[in-house]
Every structure is written in structure tokens, then in C-alpha cells.
Amino acid sequence: MLRTILITLSLSLCAAGAWSDATLPTKDLEGTQDHPLLKRYEGSFIVAHDGKAFDEFVLPTGPLQEDADKERRDQHNNHWFAPEQSLALEGRTTRLVYVVPAGRSPLEIVRNYQDEIEALGGQVLFACKGEACGGDPGRSSSGGGGEMSLAMVLYPEERINAPAFSNGNCALTERIKDQRYLAAELPEQQAHVSVLAYTLKAGHSCQALDGRTVAVVDVVEAKGRERKMVKVDAAAMARAIATTGRIALYGILFDFDQATVKAESAPALTEIAALLTANPDLKLLVVGHTDMAGTFEYNRTLSQRRAEAVVAALVRDHDVDKARLLPVGVSFAAPLASNQTEEGRAQNRRVELVQY
């Protein structure tokens, strides 16, 4: 019996070692290539990538500052930090993560990207190094119970899609040193660029990459989104509420981490007002839902403020009786999909109307 247990344990450890260890890359990750606007540093290899046809991206243009509410935490129990200045961008997003040749410093990498950006007619909006960037300069996108890092603001750990212990995952989650960062604009190309470079302090299964410099390049192009949303009119809302007691709406929009209803929400608000006019006895809970970015309590407050903003807009702009609407914020307590993917998070960010 003991011999069987030892053999099983030995086989398990061998299997784990077979798939878990990072190795020095000798070619790009399959299916990846450089962004057409920016060349790579010579000799670098792509180890991770991500991107969306249309998404939001917060580009830090100033150092990180701790939130005034010292008790605010992210979902990994880190003290919350955010850039004191930033650009809220929308468009086509591309993220490429490179491991650069041995012996190259983060400063050299960032300077080369700066030269490339300026050669394209672009300009640097902000640059920093180490502690001057704010937050924890020794962390990449991973870690809990301390302070958020610049990498966590750019791309939190829950968004990492590279498999555990792969080159890409190691490059984005290990401890780091000598952090360098720049944010830039390419006016002619209608694009913005973020370059974060650092040296890995890798251990255990990521040991092969210890001491290597990583360049994390994010490009946001001002591409228009495809308009494929099916319009939910008052009649469709009425049918859904009569059948299920509720309806989820995605046409009510807010800026990232804000509770101001965007102008693009006007058609959805008009249909809600028409629904209430056609059904004079109908009373609705206006329920705000969020994804899992941030703590439950922070998102509960944000979702409540967003629900209240929707009610205020209906009362102010459509003469709806406030007594027929009750705003409720439920944070991420009722997801419709997994919060581990961007598609799932987008589905969870919504406003629901619930009959009461």
C-alpha cells in the first residue's frame, strides 16, 4: 500500500514538472505577430498576447496614488491605487508581451520604443521609473495583501489568459525590479501606446526567466465599435417582464469606474419611459450589476450610484414619477456568466429592470 502511494506521488510530481516549468523562448507564441504600428526590440519573442475589437483601457498619464478611502481594496486585498491623471480610452486594444534578449535593461527597451514612437510623429505623455510610478514597484500583475502595482492597474491578474507557469504567465505574474514605464500618443495613427518594462525576479517553475527583461506593450486604436446590439424596445421589455419578471439591459452605458449615464444611453432610457407610460401600474426596481473588478463593497456602492443615476435621468428627462422606481445596487452578487473572461465580465455589467 505504501509502495503504491509513493509511486502515485512520484508520477504526479513528474507529471507536474513536465508541464509546469517555463523555458527560454526561441520563437513567438503560435498565432502572434507584432502590431503593425510598432516594431519589436530586435531578438525579442512574444510570450503572451490579448486584444479586443472594441474595449476600454485606462492609460495612466500620472503616478499612482492611494485611494483617499484607506480601507478600499481590490479583490486580492491590496490597498487600492489609481493614477492621479489618466485617459479613458475606447477602441481596438492589442496587448503583446515580449521576453527580450539577455543583458538588455528595461531602460534600454523603453528608450528604443520612445525612439520608435517619436519617429512616427508621436509624443510621450508620461514616463516614470520604480517607486516614482506609485504603488508597489516590486510587483507585476499578481499579488495580494499589499499595495496595487502599475501592472495591476494596466492589466489585473484575473485578466491574464496565459496558462499557469507558461512563459507568458511567468512574465506577467512574477516579482519584478527596475520598473520603467511610458505612455504615448500617436496622433496621425489615432492611437495610444503603453510600454511597461521590468526585470523578472523569477523563482520555482519560472526560474528559466529569472533576470530577463520583459516588455509589455499595449496599443489602443480609436476604431469605431460594430453596432450589432438588438434594440430592446418598450414592447420587448413588457413581454420579458410579463414572462420572467425582469429584463437585463446593455444599452445604458457609463464611463469606467464612474456613475454618470453616458449620452449614448438615451434610446434605452426613452424605451423605459415608454414602457412605464404604457403600463401605468408598473413599478420597477432599477438594479445595477458590476463585474468582479474591485471589492464587493466598492462595487456595491458603485452599482447603487449607477442605479440611482438611471432613476435620476428618467425622472429628470422623461418626467417619470420617482415613486415608481427603486434603485438597487447588488455589486457582483448575481452574475450571468463567468467573471474569468472579458466576454463574461461584459455580460455581467448591466442594468436590470425588475417588477415589484
Side-chain angles (χ1 to χ4, degrees), residues 95-132:
R95 162 166 279 231
L96 293 167
V97 182
Y98 297 90
V99 171
V100 307
R104 302 297 190 265
S105 71
L107 175 60
E108 182 179 357
I109 301 307
V110 168
R111 288 285 185 262
N112 272 267
Y113 274 102
Q114 181 176 344
D115 290 344
E116 182 74 7
I117 289 165
E118 291 175 347
L120 293 170
Q123 58 180 339
V124 174
L125 303 176
F126 173 67
C128 64
K129 66 177 182 178
E131 294 181 355

PDB file of all heavy atoms in Angstrom, residues 95-132:
ATOM      1  N   ARG A  95      -2.539  43.759 -26.833  1.00  0.00           N
ATOM      2  CA  ARG A  95      -1.502  43.606 -25.812  1.00  0.00           C
ATOM      3  C   ARG A  95      -0.520  42.533 -26.275  1.00  0.00           C
ATOM      4  O   ARG A  95      -0.921  41.431 -26.656  1.00  0.00           O
ATOM      5  CB  ARG A  95      -2.109  43.208 -24.469  1.00  0.00           C
ATOM      6  CG  ARG A  95      -1.100  42.615 -23.485  1.00  0.00           C
ATOM      7  CD  ARG A  95      -1.632  42.547 -22.088  1.00  0.00           C
ATOM      8  NE  ARG A  95      -1.499  43.844 -21.443  1.00  0.00           N
ATOM      9  CZ  ARG A  95      -0.949  44.048 -20.249  1.00  0.00           C
ATOM     10  NH1 ARG A  95      -0.457  43.042 -19.561  1.00  0.00           N
ATOM     11  NH2 ARG A  95      -0.878  45.251 -19.729  1.00  0.00           N
ATOM     12  N   LEU A  96       0.770  42.893 -26.268  1.00  0.00           N
ATOM     13  CA  LEU A  96       1.831  41.956 -26.623  1.00  0.00           C
ATOM     14  C   LEU A  96       2.874  41.956 -25.517  1.00  0.00           C
ATOM     15  O   LEU A  96       3.288  43.025 -25.058  1.00  0.00           O
ATOM     16  CB  LEU A  96       2.474  42.359 -27.949  1.00  0.00           C
ATOM     17  CG  LEU A  96       1.561  42.230 -29.180  1.00  0.00           C
ATOM     18  CD1 LEU A  96       2.172  42.947 -30.371  1.00  0.00           C
ATOM     19  CD2 LEU A  96       1.320  40.760 -29.517  1.00  0.00           C
ATOM     20  N   VAL A  97       3.272  40.779 -25.080  1.00  0.00           N
ATOM     21  CA  VAL A  97       4.255  40.630 -24.005  1.00  0.00           C
ATOM     22  C   VAL A  97       5.489  39.950 -24.590  1.00  0.00           C
ATOM     23  O   VAL A  97       5.399  38.846 -25.122  1.00  0.00           O
ATOM     24  CB  VAL A  97       3.677  39.804 -22.844  1.00  0.00           C
ATOM     25  CG1 VAL A  97       4.694  39.690 -21.716  1.00  0.00           C
ATOM     26  CG2 VAL A  97       2.378  40.427 -22.335  1.00  0.00           C
ATOM     27  N   TYR A  98       6.623  40.641 -24.487  1.00  0.00           N
ATOM     28  CA  TYR A  98       7.865  40.146 -25.066  1.00  0.00           C
ATOM     29  C   TYR A  98       8.879  39.807 -23.968  1.00  0.00           C
ATOM     30  O   TYR A  98       8.998  40.540 -22.977  1.00  0.00           O
ATOM     31  CB  TYR A  98       8.518  41.217 -25.946  1.00  0.00           C
ATOM     32  CG  TYR A  98       7.738  41.653 -27.152  1.00  0.00           C
ATOM     33  CD1 TYR A  98       6.840  42.726 -27.084  1.00  0.00           C
ATOM     34  CD2 TYR A  98       7.928  41.047 -28.397  1.00  0.00           C
ATOM     35  CE1 TYR A  98       6.148  43.165 -28.203  1.00  0.00           C
ATOM     36  CE2 TYR A  98       7.245  41.478 -29.529  1.00  0.00           C
ATOM     37  CZ  TYR A  98       6.353  42.537 -29.420  1.00  0.00           C
ATOM     38  OH  TYR A  98       5.672  42.967 -30.538  1.00  0.00           O
ATOM     39  N   VAL A  99       9.623  38.741 -24.164  1.00  0.00           N
ATOM     40  CA  VAL A  99      10.857  38.499 -23.411  1.00  0.00           C
ATOM     41  C   VAL A  99      11.998  38.955 -24.310  1.00  0.00           C
ATOM     42  O   VAL A  99      12.124  38.486 -25.450  1.00  0.00           O
ATOM     43  CB  VAL A  99      11.017  37.018 -23.041  1.00  0.00           C
ATOM     44  CG1 VAL A  99      12.406  36.762 -22.454  1.00  0.00           C
ATOM     45  CG2 VAL A  99       9.959  36.613 -22.029  1.00  0.00           C
ATOM     46  N   VAL A 100      12.814  39.881 -23.826  1.00  0.00           N
ATOM     47  CA  VAL A 100      13.855  40.479 -24.663  1.00  0.00           C
ATOM     48  C   VAL A 100      15.180  39.750 -24.445  1.00  0.00           C
ATOM     49  O   VAL A 100      15.327  38.965 -23.502  1.00  0.00           O
ATOM     50  CB  VAL A 100      13.999  41.988 -24.378  1.00  0.00           C
ATOM     51  CG1 VAL A 100      12.654  42.691 -24.498  1.00  0.00           C
ATOM     52  CG2 VAL A 100      14.580  42.242 -22.998  1.00  0.00           C
ATOM     53  N   PRO A 101      16.164  39.964 -25.307  1.00  0.00           N
ATOM     54  CA  PRO A 101      17.441  39.236 -25.185  1.00  0.00           C
ATOM     55  C   PRO A 101      18.127  39.488 -23.849  1.00  0.00           C
ATOM     56  O   PRO A 101      17.927  40.529 -23.201  1.00  0.00           O
ATOM     57  CB  PRO A 101      18.271  39.799 -26.345  1.00  0.00           C
ATOM     58  CG  PRO A 101      17.273  40.316 -27.325  1.00  0.00           C
ATOM     59  CD  PRO A 101      16.127  40.820 -26.510  1.00  0.00           C
ATOM     60  N   ALA A 102      18.940  38.546 -23.431  1.00  0.00           N
ATOM     61  CA  ALA A 102      19.676  38.664 -22.174  1.00  0.00           C
ATOM     62  C   ALA A 102      20.585  39.883 -22.202  1.00  0.00           C
ATOM     63  O   ALA A 102      21.114  40.277 -23.246  1.00  0.00           O
ATOM     64  CB  ALA A 102      20.508  37.399 -21.942  1.00  0.00           C
ATOM     65  N   GLY A 103      20.745  40.493 -21.027  1.00  0.00           N
ATOM     66  CA  GLY A 103      21.659  41.623 -20.908  1.00  0.00           C
ATOM     67  C   GLY A 103      21.086  42.962 -21.307  1.00  0.00           C
ATOM     68  O   GLY A 103      21.805  43.972 -21.308  1.00  0.00           O
ATOM     69  N   ARG A 104      19.799  43.011 -21.635  1.00  0.00           N
ATOM     70  CA  ARG A 104      19.162  44.270 -22.023  1.00  0.00           C
ATOM     71  C   ARG A 104      18.339  44.804 -20.841  1.00  0.00           C
ATOM     72  O   ARG A 104      17.542  44.084 -20.253  1.00  0.00           O
ATOM     73  CB  ARG A 104      18.257  44.091 -23.233  1.00  0.00           C
ATOM     74  CG  ARG A 104      18.975  43.548 -24.462  1.00  0.00           C
ATOM     75  CD  ARG A 104      20.045  44.519 -24.937  1.00  0.00           C
ATOM     76  NE  ARG A 104      20.586  44.139 -26.216  1.00  0.00           N
ATOM     77  CZ  ARG A 104      21.681  43.415 -26.405  1.00  0.00           C
ATOM     78  NH1 ARG A 104      22.359  42.978 -25.341  1.00  0.00           N
ATOM     79  NH2 ARG A 104      22.102  43.122 -27.613  1.00  0.00           N
ATOM     80  N   SER A 105      18.521  46.064 -20.510  1.00  0.00           N
ATOM     81  CA  SER A 105      17.851  46.657 -19.358  1.00  0.00           C
ATOM     82  C   SER A 105      16.484  47.193 -19.737  1.00  0.00           C
ATOM     83  O   SER A 105      16.231  47.532 -20.902  1.00  0.00           O
ATOM     84  CB  SER A 105      18.697  47.794 -18.789  1.00  0.00           C
ATOM     85  OG  SER A 105      18.678  48.901 -19.680  1.00  0.00           O
ATOM     86  N   PRO A 106      15.572  47.318 -18.758  1.00  0.00           N
ATOM     87  CA  PRO A 106      14.286  47.957 -19.032  1.00  0.00           C
ATOM     88  C   PRO A 106      14.434  49.370 -19.582  1.00  0.00           C
ATOM     89  O   PRO A 106      13.660  49.789 -20.455  1.00  0.00           O
ATOM     90  CB  PRO A 106      13.605  47.956 -17.654  1.00  0.00           C
ATOM     91  CG  PRO A 106      14.178  46.774 -16.956  1.00  0.00           C
ATOM     92  CD  PRO A 106      15.623  46.742 -17.390  1.00  0.00           C
ATOM     93  N   LEU A 107      15.425  50.126 -19.099  1.00  0.00           N
ATOM     94  CA  LEU A 107      15.637  51.478 -19.612  1.00  0.00           C
ATOM     95  C   LEU A 107      15.943  51.453 -21.106  1.00  0.00           C
ATOM     96  O   LEU A 107      15.393  52.244 -21.885  1.00  0.00           O
ATOM     97  CB  LEU A 107      16.779  52.159 -18.858  1.00  0.00           C
ATOM     98  CG  LEU A 107      17.182  53.548 -19.381  1.00  0.00           C
ATOM     99  CD1 LEU A 107      16.014  54.521 -19.305  1.00  0.00           C
ATOM    100  CD2 LEU A 107      18.394  54.069 -18.605  1.00  0.00           C
ATOM    101  N   GLU A 108      16.816  50.545 -21.532  1.00  0.00           N
ATOM    102  CA  GLU A 108      17.164  50.469 -22.949  1.00  0.00           C
ATOM    103  C   GLU A 108      15.936  50.134 -23.796  1.00  0.00           C
ATOM    104  O   GLU A 108      15.731  50.699 -24.874  1.00  0.00           O
ATOM    105  CB  GLU A 108      18.248  49.417 -23.168  1.00  0.00           C
ATOM    106  CG  GLU A 108      18.698  49.299 -24.618  1.00  0.00           C
ATOM    107  CD  GLU A 108      19.791  48.274 -24.809  1.00  0.00           C
ATOM    108  OE1 GLU A 108      20.258  47.683 -23.809  1.00  0.00           O
ATOM    109  OE2 GLU A 108      20.176  48.061 -25.979  1.00  0.00           O
ATOM    110  N   ILE A 109      15.112  49.231 -23.297  1.00  0.00           N
ATOM    111  CA  ILE A 109      13.913  48.844 -24.042  1.00  0.00           C
ATOM    112  C   ILE A 109      12.954  50.022 -24.192  1.00  0.00           C
ATOM    113  O   ILE A 109      12.465  50.317 -25.286  1.00  0.00           O
ATOM    114  CB  ILE A 109      13.204  47.670 -23.327  1.00  0.00           C
ATOM    115  CG1 ILE A 109      14.143  46.477 -23.204  1.00  0.00           C
ATOM    116  CG2 ILE A 109      11.938  47.282 -24.076  1.00  0.00           C
ATOM    117  CD1 ILE A 109      14.783  46.030 -24.494  1.00  0.00           C
ATOM    118  N   VAL A 110      12.690  50.714 -23.091  1.00  0.00           N
ATOM    119  CA  VAL A 110      11.753  51.845 -23.132  1.00  0.00           C
ATOM    120  C   VAL A 110      12.289  52.957 -24.027  1.00  0.00           C
ATOM    121  O   VAL A 110      11.535  53.575 -24.788  1.00  0.00           O
ATOM    122  CB  VAL A 110      11.475  52.354 -21.702  1.00  0.00           C
ATOM    123  CG1 VAL A 110      10.761  53.698 -21.738  1.00  0.00           C
ATOM    124  CG2 VAL A 110      10.618  51.340 -20.937  1.00  0.00           C
ATOM    125  N   ARG A 111      13.591  53.221 -23.955  1.00  0.00           N
ATOM    126  CA  ARG A 111      14.170  54.261 -24.806  1.00  0.00           C
ATOM    127  C   ARG A 111      14.030  53.903 -26.290  1.00  0.00           C
ATOM    128  O   ARG A 111      13.791  54.778 -27.134  1.00  0.00           O
ATOM    129  CB  ARG A 111      15.635  54.471 -24.451  1.00  0.00           C
ATOM    130  CG  ARG A 111      15.842  55.179 -23.126  1.00  0.00           C
ATOM    131  CD  ARG A 111      15.527  56.684 -23.250  1.00  0.00           C
ATOM    132  NE  ARG A 111      15.849  57.353 -21.999  1.00  0.00           N
ATOM    133  CZ  ARG A 111      14.979  57.646 -21.050  1.00  0.00           C
ATOM    134  NH1 ARG A 111      13.706  57.299 -21.202  1.00  0.00           N
ATOM    135  NH2 ARG A 111      15.358  58.263 -19.947  1.00  0.00           N
ATOM    136  N   ASN A 112      14.183  52.644 -26.631  1.00  0.00           N
ATOM    137  CA  ASN A 112      14.028  52.232 -28.023  1.00  0.00           C
ATOM    138  C   ASN A 112      12.586  52.409 -28.499  1.00  0.00           C
ATOM    139  O   ASN A 112      12.345  52.852 -29.628  1.00  0.00           O
ATOM    140  CB  ASN A 112      14.482  50.781 -28.203  1.00  0.00           C
ATOM    141  CG  ASN A 112      15.958  50.668 -28.496  1.00  0.00           C
ATOM    142  OD1 ASN A 112      16.386  50.639 -29.650  1.00  0.00           O
ATOM    143  ND2 ASN A 112      16.767  50.627 -27.445  1.00  0.00           N
ATOM    144  N   TYR A 113      11.633  52.059 -27.643  1.00  0.00           N
ATOM    145  CA  TYR A 113      10.231  52.283 -28.010  1.00  0.00           C
ATOM    146  C   TYR A 113       9.936  53.780 -28.127  1.00  0.00           C
ATOM    147  O   TYR A 113       9.188  54.213 -29.009  1.00  0.00           O
ATOM    148  CB  TYR A 113       9.294  51.621 -26.994  1.00  0.00           C
ATOM    149  CG  TYR A 113       9.021  50.175 -27.301  1.00  0.00           C
ATOM    150  CD1 TYR A 113       9.674  49.168 -26.594  1.00  0.00           C
ATOM    151  CD2 TYR A 113       8.141  49.809 -28.305  1.00  0.00           C
ATOM    152  CE1 TYR A 113       9.444  47.829 -26.882  1.00  0.00           C
ATOM    153  CE2 TYR A 113       7.899  48.470 -28.599  1.00  0.00           C
ATOM    154  CZ  TYR A 113       8.560  47.486 -27.889  1.00  0.00           C
ATOM    155  OH  TYR A 113       8.328  46.167 -28.191  1.00  0.00           O
ATOM    156  N   GLN A 114      10.527  54.569 -27.258  1.00  0.00           N
ATOM    157  CA  GLN A 114      10.345  56.021 -27.345  1.00  0.00           C
ATOM    158  C   GLN A 114      10.866  56.541 -28.680  1.00  0.00           C
ATOM    159  O   GLN A 114      10.206  57.360 -29.331  1.00  0.00           O
ATOM    160  CB  GLN A 114      11.061  56.712 -26.186  1.00  0.00           C
ATOM    161  CG  GLN A 114      10.894  58.227 -26.183  1.00  0.00           C
ATOM    162  CD  GLN A 114      11.541  58.869 -24.964  1.00  0.00           C
ATOM    163  OE1 GLN A 114      11.856  58.203 -23.985  1.00  0.00           O
ATOM    164  NE2 GLN A 114      11.731  60.177 -25.024  1.00  0.00           N
ATOM    165  N   ASP A 115      12.036  56.083 -29.104  1.00  0.00           N
ATOM    166  CA  ASP A 115      12.578  56.495 -30.405  1.00  0.00           C
ATOM    167  C   ASP A 115      11.626  56.116 -31.535  1.00  0.00           C
ATOM    168  O   ASP A 115      11.394  56.905 -32.464  1.00  0.00           O
ATOM    169  CB  ASP A 115      13.941  55.835 -30.636  1.00  0.00           C
ATOM    170  CG  ASP A 115      15.023  56.380 -29.719  1.00  0.00           C
ATOM    171  OD1 ASP A 115      14.824  57.457 -29.128  1.00  0.00           O
ATOM    172  OD2 ASP A 115      16.071  55.711 -29.593  1.00  0.00           O
ATOM    173  N   GLU A 116      11.091  54.909 -31.463  1.00  0.00           N
ATOM    174  CA  GLU A 116      10.183  54.432 -32.498  1.00  0.00           C
ATOM    175  C   GLU A 116       8.908  55.279 -32.540  1.00  0.00           C
ATOM    176  O   GLU A 116       8.418  55.658 -33.619  1.00  0.00           O
ATOM    177  CB  GLU A 116       9.830  52.969 -32.226  1.00  0.00           C
ATOM    178  CG  GLU A 116       8.922  52.322 -33.242  1.00  0.00           C
ATOM    179  CD  GLU A 116       9.624  52.007 -34.550  1.00  0.00           C
ATOM    180  OE1 GLU A 116      10.863  52.177 -34.631  1.00  0.00           O
ATOM    181  OE2 GLU A 116       8.932  51.585 -35.496  1.00  0.00           O
ATOM    182  N   ILE A 117       8.377  55.594 -31.359  1.00  0.00           N
ATOM    183  CA  ILE A 117       7.148  56.402 -31.277  1.00  0.00           C
ATOM    184  C   ILE A 117       7.393  57.804 -31.830  1.00  0.00           C
ATOM    185  O   ILE A 117       6.581  58.345 -32.607  1.00  0.00           O
ATOM    186  CB  ILE A 117       6.660  56.449 -29.817  1.00  0.00           C
ATOM    187  CG1 ILE A 117       6.095  55.068 -29.419  1.00  0.00           C
ATOM    188  CG2 ILE A 117       5.625  57.542 -29.611  1.00  0.00           C
ATOM    189  CD1 ILE A 117       5.916  54.882 -27.935  1.00  0.00           C
ATOM    190  N   GLU A 118       8.495  58.416 -31.456  1.00  0.00           N
ATOM    191  CA  GLU A 118       8.800  59.765 -31.929  1.00  0.00           C
ATOM    192  C   GLU A 118       9.090  59.787 -33.423  1.00  0.00           C
ATOM    193  O   GLU A 118       8.754  60.748 -34.121  1.00  0.00           O
ATOM    194  CB  GLU A 118       9.965  60.342 -31.129  1.00  0.00           C
ATOM    195  CG  GLU A 118       9.578  60.629 -29.673  1.00  0.00           C
ATOM    196  CD  GLU A 118      10.738  61.084 -28.814  1.00  0.00           C
ATOM    197  OE1 GLU A 118      11.903  60.953 -29.277  1.00  0.00           O
ATOM    198  OE2 GLU A 118      10.496  61.553 -27.682  1.00  0.00           O
ATOM    199  N   ALA A 119       9.662  58.711 -33.959  1.00  0.00           N
ATOM    200  CA  ALA A 119       9.903  58.622 -35.399  1.00  0.00           C
ATOM    201  C   ALA A 119       8.596  58.560 -36.181  1.00  0.00           C
ATOM    202  O   ALA A 119       8.544  58.954 -37.357  1.00  0.00           O
ATOM    203  CB  ALA A 119      10.754  57.395 -35.711  1.00  0.00           C
ATOM    204  N   LEU A 120       7.533  58.095 -35.520  1.00  0.00           N
ATOM    205  CA  LEU A 120       6.213  58.041 -36.150  1.00  0.00           C
ATOM    206  C   LEU A 120       5.413  59.318 -35.938  1.00  0.00           C
ATOM    207  O   LEU A 120       4.224  59.376 -36.283  1.00  0.00           O
ATOM    208  CB  LEU A 120       5.432  56.848 -35.590  1.00  0.00           C
ATOM    209  CG  LEU A 120       5.968  55.454 -35.939  1.00  0.00           C
ATOM    210  CD1 LEU A 120       5.246  54.386 -35.126  1.00  0.00           C
ATOM    211  CD2 LEU A 120       5.795  55.187 -37.431  1.00  0.00           C
ATOM    212  N   GLY A 121       6.052  60.341 -35.363  1.00  0.00           N
ATOM    213  CA  GLY A 121       5.361  61.606 -35.108  1.00  0.00           C
ATOM    214  C   GLY A 121       4.610  61.639 -33.801  1.00  0.00           C
ATOM    215  O   GLY A 121       3.832  62.559 -33.551  1.00  0.00           O
ATOM    216  N   GLY A 122       4.853  60.635 -32.930  1.00  0.00           N
ATOM    217  CA  GLY A 122       4.156  60.589 -31.653  1.00  0.00           C
ATOM    218  C   GLY A 122       4.877  61.357 -30.573  1.00  0.00           C
ATOM    219  O   GLY A 122       5.977  61.885 -30.774  1.00  0.00           O
ATOM    220  N   GLN A 123       4.260  61.420 -29.408  1.00  0.00           N
ATOM    221  CA  GLN A 123       4.843  62.135 -28.273  1.00  0.00           C
ATOM    222  C   GLN A 123       4.580  61.379 -26.975  1.00  0.00           C
ATOM    223  O   GLN A 123       3.549  60.729 -26.819  1.00  0.00           O
ATOM    224  CB  GLN A 123       4.269  63.545 -28.170  1.00  0.00           C
ATOM    225  CG  GLN A 123       2.750  63.588 -28.012  1.00  0.00           C
ATOM    226  CD  GLN A 123       2.206  65.004 -27.914  1.00  0.00           C
ATOM    227  OE1 GLN A 123       2.941  65.920 -27.580  1.00  0.00           O
ATOM    228  NE2 GLN A 123       0.931  65.178 -28.193  1.00  0.00           N
ATOM    229  N   VAL A 124       5.548  61.455 -26.095  1.00  0.00           N
ATOM    230  CA  VAL A 124       5.410  60.830 -24.787  1.00  0.00           C
ATOM    231  C   VAL A 124       4.544  61.720 -23.895  1.00  0.00           C
ATOM    232  O   VAL A 124       4.790  62.915 -23.770  1.00  0.00           O
ATOM    233  CB  VAL A 124       6.788  60.597 -24.143  1.00  0.00           C
ATOM    234  CG1 VAL A 124       6.634  60.089 -22.710  1.00  0.00           C
ATOM    235  CG2 VAL A 124       7.598  59.605 -24.964  1.00  0.00           C
ATOM    236  N   LEU A 125       3.530  61.133 -23.271  1.00  0.00           N
ATOM    237  CA  LEU A 125       2.634  61.863 -22.381  1.00  0.00           C
ATOM    238  C   LEU A 125       3.079  61.775 -20.929  1.00  0.00           C
ATOM    239  O   LEU A 125       2.824  62.686 -20.148  1.00  0.00           O
ATOM    240  CB  LEU A 125       1.212  61.310 -22.498  1.00  0.00           C
ATOM    241  CG  LEU A 125       0.593  61.320 -23.902  1.00  0.00           C
ATOM    242  CD1 LEU A 125      -0.777  60.652 -23.877  1.00  0.00           C
ATOM    243  CD2 LEU A 125       0.483  62.741 -24.431  1.00  0.00           C
ATOM    244  N   PHE A 126       3.745  60.674 -20.584  1.00  0.00           N
ATOM    245  CA  PHE A 126       4.171  60.459 -19.199  1.00  0.00           C
ATOM    246  C   PHE A 126       5.204  59.348 -19.179  1.00  0.00           C
ATOM    247  O   PHE A 126       5.110  58.380 -19.944  1.00  0.00           O
ATOM    248  CB  PHE A 126       2.981  60.085 -18.317  1.00  0.00           C
ATOM    249  CG  PHE A 126       3.339  59.684 -16.908  1.00  0.00           C
ATOM    250  CD1 PHE A 126       3.872  60.617 -16.028  1.00  0.00           C
ATOM    251  CD2 PHE A 126       3.160  58.383 -16.459  1.00  0.00           C
ATOM    252  CE1 PHE A 126       4.223  60.249 -14.720  1.00  0.00           C
ATOM    253  CE2 PHE A 126       3.488  58.004 -15.171  1.00  0.00           C
ATOM    254  CZ  PHE A 126       4.031  58.949 -14.305  1.00  0.00           C
ATOM    255  N   ALA A 127       6.185  59.476 -18.304  1.00  0.00           N
ATOM    256  CA  ALA A 127       7.178  58.425 -18.110  1.00  0.00           C
ATOM    257  C   ALA A 127       7.589  58.405 -16.647  1.00  0.00           C
ATOM    258  O   ALA A 127       7.589  59.440 -15.979  1.00  0.00           O
ATOM    259  CB  ALA A 127       8.399  58.641 -19.010  1.00  0.00           C
ATOM    260  N   CYS A 128       7.927  57.223 -16.148  1.00  0.00           N
ATOM    261  CA  CYS A 128       8.352  57.109 -14.749  1.00  0.00           C
ATOM    262  C   CYS A 128       9.194  55.865 -14.577  1.00  0.00           C
ATOM    263  O   CYS A 128       9.282  55.015 -15.471  1.00  0.00           O
ATOM    264  CB  CYS A 128       7.140  57.065 -13.815  1.00  0.00           C
ATOM    265  SG  CYS A 128       6.082  55.605 -14.041  1.00  0.00           S
ATOM    266  N   LYS A 129       9.809  55.750 -13.408  1.00  0.00           N
ATOM    267  CA  LYS A 129      10.574  54.553 -13.092  1.00  0.00           C
ATOM    268  C   LYS A 129      10.416  54.207 -11.621  1.00  0.00           C
ATOM    269  O   LYS A 129      10.210  55.079 -10.770  1.00  0.00           O
ATOM    270  CB  LYS A 129      12.058  54.756 -13.419  1.00  0.00           C
ATOM    271  CG  LYS A 129      12.748  55.802 -12.547  1.00  0.00           C
ATOM    272  CD  LYS A 129      14.235  55.886 -12.896  1.00  0.00           C
ATOM    273  CE  LYS A 129      14.953  56.897 -11.984  1.00  0.00           C
ATOM    274  NZ  LYS A 129      16.405  56.965 -12.285  1.00  0.00           N
ATOM    275  N   GLY A 130      10.500  52.931 -11.316  1.00  0.00           N
ATOM    276  CA  GLY A 130      10.500  52.448  -9.948  1.00  0.00           C
ATOM    277  C   GLY A 130       9.399  53.013  -9.074  1.00  0.00           C
ATOM    278  O   GLY A 130       8.231  53.085  -9.470  1.00  0.00           O
ATOM    279  N   GLU A 131       9.785  53.467  -7.875  1.00  0.00           N
ATOM    280  CA  GLU A 131       8.822  53.979  -6.901  1.00  0.00           C
ATOM    281  C   GLU A 131       8.124  55.239  -7.379  1.00  0.00           C
ATOM    282  O   GLU A 131       7.019  55.550  -6.917  1.00  0.00           O
ATOM    283  CB  GLU A 131       9.534  54.243  -5.577  1.00  0.00           C
ATOM    284  CG  GLU A 131      10.052  52.983  -4.881  1.00  0.00           C
ATOM    285  CD  GLU A 131      10.726  53.292  -3.563  1.00  0.00           C
ATOM    286  OE1 GLU A 131      10.878  54.491  -3.243  1.00  0.00           O
ATOM    287  OE2 GLU A 131      11.102  52.341  -2.842  1.00  0.00           O
ATOM    288  N   ALA A 132       8.738  55.985  -8.297  1.00  0.00           N
ATOM    289  CA  ALA A 132       8.126  57.222  -8.791  1.00  0.00           C
ATOM    290  C   ALA A 132       6.842  56.955  -9.569  1.00  0.00           C
ATOM    291  O   ALA A 132       6.037  57.869  -9.767  1.00  0.00           O
ATOM    292  CB  ALA A 132       9.116  57.988  -9.664  1.00  0.00           C
TER     293      ALA A 132
END
